[in-house]
Amino acid sequence: MHLSCLAPGARRWHIGFVAGSRHKSGTKPSLRLRVTAAAESIVRGGHPWVFAQSLRAQNRDGETGELAVIFDRKDQFLAVGLFDADSPMRVRILHAGKPQAIDTPFWERRAQDAFRQREGLFDSQTTGYRCINGESDGWPGLVLDRYGDTYVLKLYTAAWLPRLQELAPLLARGNRLVLRLSRNMQETAANRFHAHVGQVLLGEPLAGPVEFLENGLRFEADLVRGQKTGFFLDQRENRREARALADGRNVLNLFSYTGGFSLYAADGGATSVCSLDISELALAGAQRNFALNADRAAIARCGHEIIQADVFDWLRQKASRRFDLIVLDPPSLAKRESERAEAIGAYAKLIAGALARLNWNGILAASSCSAHVSAAEFFNLTLEMARKSGRRFAELKTTGHAADHPTTFAEAEYLKCIYLRLLE
Ligand code: SAH
């Protein structure tokens, strides 16, 4: 599709952003796009995604990683974004509104904005947190997490790869920087950009997992093989809540991963904690994390049991044991919209099974990280399962995203948690 019909406006299109274009040839005209009226108003409203089916015309084929400039119906600048030729999410918007040069000072300002937003959120007892949360921080498809002196850069689009050299120093700020890549782009990254998972972009090579602090507790994270960027930093505030609720309680941590909630519960005075996960690797990590904190009296006192099992199977067994605090934090059960109905059914089973294992006065903290299941849906489902159980529950509170995981548009909201207490 070409824009011959738009030729009269073409000259104006070069104003303002050619300087920022790092196109290899240097002679190619900048990539110019027009989108449907619906996409135009979505982008004008600040939404960061333009899908392939919303493109109406482009002046030439685009290459993954180059800047694409979107013009509105009146041939005025609408937005500039990163083009991804291989993804249905064809453009990720970097800036909308007035023309803007996308150059090194622009990236520096963007990084500074994100770092400034985290200033004052954490003291020296928390050295693991998110520094850049993708589109919601103006870095679409890019996440930056801190683990002590090591930072992990996780990319969800190959469009960032041609810019790694330029961006790595200003993201790492003198620290070690490790690269993680979403599965769907790993082949492109290897073949076209010689980039791979676990690559150390800056600093010393990794010698195994790294250690960091979260609310005074020591954790290790495998930044290369671990889930997400190595740890579920997004659950920090709910783990803190679990610590506040755990005193004198026996605790069950379902989908425990490397024992984050378990450690907090033990530190909060739990009498015993049971970490249950399907992954042997995750449970071995949980044991190491307990060992790392053995100098804390409450943790040393607390019995830690490990069960390697499928939570769904385990909950189907007859409920002989009861718990005073149950943490339920399954992986995303709906990765796409088509899996939503099935996910709701799975959540219903998990919630019912967990509620059935609560002692009198027991508390359930149920989380969902499926973006395709809304917070309202998940909370209503949990309350409905509580009603169906025939027992009386009080809703204690609900939580959403923590301040280091901000969200600026609906699709970015995935994490929610509801706390219920059994009254009788
Ligand atoms: N609550 C954890 C994060 C949980 S991540 C934290 O705060 O760190 C989800 C975990 O569920 C992963 O460790 C994964 O191994 C585990 N998992 C996935 N499917 C499972 C299943 N069917 N049964 C048990 N564990 C499962």
Side-chain angles (χ1 to χ4, degrees):
M1 234 179 331
H2 288 270
L3 287 180
S4 49
C5 57
L6 301 172
R11 249 173 298 136
R12 265 185 286 146
W13 292 8
H14 292 277
I15 298 169
F17 28 83
V18 175
S21 168
R22 288 162 41 83
H23 201 273
K24 279 198 294 290
S25 71
T27 53
K28 267 195 195 172
S30 57
L31 179 61
R32 289 165 289 158
L33 313 176
R34 297 192 79 181
V35 297
T36 60
E40 203 176 300
S41 62
I42 287 170
V43 169
R44 215 183 287 285
H47 199 283
W49 297 339
V50 176
F51 289 91
Q53 69 262 28
S54 299
L55 294 188
R56 280 208 302 125
Q58 62 190 75
N59 62 329
R60 59 170 172 79
D61 288 338
E63 269 178 47
T64 295
E66 68 173 314
L67 293 174
V69 183
I70 302 175
F71 289 85
D72 67 12
R73 272 161 292 179
K74 295 179 182 156
D75 287 345
Q76 298 298 308
F77 175 93
L78 177 64
V80 55
L82 288 176
F83 191 83
D84 187 340
D86 310 309
S87 167
M89 199 181 283
R90 195 54 51 88
V91 183
R92 289 171 168 84
I93 304 295
L94 293 167
H95 167 85
K98 297 213 171 72
Q100 166 68 51
I102 307 297
D103 49 14
T104 306
F106 170 86
W107 296 119
E108 279 168 352
R109 280 197 307 278
R110 274 279 154 101
Q112 277 312 316
D113 286 349
F115 291 132
R116 214 168 289 131
Q117 270 203 42
R118 273 85 181 162
E119 272 172 20
L121 288 183
F122 308 105
D123 63 16
S124 61
Q125 295 306 296
T126 297
T127 63
Y129 53 85
R130 178 149 295 183
C131 301
I132 294 180
N133 193 37
E135 336 350 48
S136 298
D137 276 307
W139 293 81
L142 180 155
V143 151
L144 183 72
D145 284 344
R146 176 188 173 192
Y147 294 93
D149 295 333
T150 304
Y151 285 61
V152 181
L153 176 64
K154 180 146 186 189
L155 304 180
Y156 294 86
T157 164
W160 287 108
L161 290 170
R163 287 165 207 278
L164 272 189
Q165 238 183 338
E166 179 189 8
L167 298 180
L170 61 97
L171 295 175
R173 299 185 298 170
N175 298 285
R176 175 163 54 196
L177 188 65
V178 177
L179 184 65
R180 292 284 301 259
L181 305 166
S182 66
R183 200 160 299 145
N184 58 334
M185 61 173 285
Q186 289 177 7
E187 213 178 296
T188 309
N191 297 343
R192 303 228 302 266
F193 300 96
H194 306 291
H196 63 267
V197 172
Q199 187 175 343
V200 178
L201 299 172
L202 290 169
E204 296 298 311
L206 279 169
V210 302
E211 251 189 71
F212 66 99
L213 288 172
E214 198 187 76
N215 291 313
L217 294 169
R218 289 168 67 189
F219 287 101
E220 62 156 51
D222 186 334
L223 307 185
V224 182
R225 290 181 305 164
Q227 296 204 31
K228 289 208 159 191
T229 59
F231 200 71
F232 288 83
L233 297 172
D234 54 356
Q235 281 287 26
R236 182 188 53 254
E237 300 309 318
N238 287 318
R239 285 192 283 267
R240 199 149 64 140
E241 194 65 39
R243 171 155 73 183
L245 293 169
D247 195 21
R249 293 177 184 266
N250 72 327
V251 179
L252 172 62
N253 182 6
L254 295 172
F255 303 96
S256 67
Y257 190 51
T258 53
F261 278 100
S262 305
L263 255 303
Y264 275 74
D267 198 47
T271 50
S272 68
V273 178
C274 174
S275 300
L276 197 153
D277 200 283
I278 205 164
S279 155
E280 193 181 345
L281 208 69
L283 291 169
Q287 263 162 330
R288 282 196 301 277
N289 283 330
F290 264 82
L292 274 179
N293 293 278
D295 58 332
R296 293 172 85 98
I299 291 176
R301 257 198 319 271
C302 178
H304 182 217
E305 185 188 349
I306 296 270
I307 299 179
Q308 188 185 355
D310 179 314
V311 172
F312 291 92
D313 292 345
W314 191 83
L315 286 176
R316 265 197 295 272
Q317 294 165 19
K318 202 168 161 296
S320 52
R321 278 170 81 184
R322 299 284 163 112
F323 298 87
D324 305 315
L325 172 62
I326 300 180
V327 174
L328 177 66
D329 182 25
S332 176
L333 299 175
K335 294 235 166 66
R336 49 189 71 88
E337 185 58 27
S338 59
E339 295 169 351
R340 228 173 61 84
E342 207 179 316
I344 301 267
Y347 280 127
K349 281 195 193 111
L350 291 172
I351 293 162
L355 290 174
R357 277 159 180 79
L358 281 179
N359 276 324
W360 175 79
N361 207 28
I363 294 172
L364 170 68
S367 293
S368 158
C369 62
S370 306
H372 294 286
V373 177
S374 73
E377 265 177 317
F378 182 67
F379 296 157
N380 287 335
L381 175 70
T382 308
L383 294 170
E384 186 191 327
M385 299 317 290
R387 271 194 302 278
K388 281 190 179 159
S389 75
R391 299 193 288 174
R392 283 205 314 128
F393 287 87
E395 181 183 328
L396 299 183
K397 69 186 292 185
T398 59
T399 63
H401 280 236
D404 60 331
H405 287 70
T407 58
T408 55
F409 61 112
E411 292 91 329
E413 286 166 26
Y414 65 92
L415 188 62
K416 51 271 180 192
C417 182
I418 181 166
Y419 295 74
L420 297 185
R421 186 158 61 84
L422 177 60
L423 296 176
E424 59 189 40

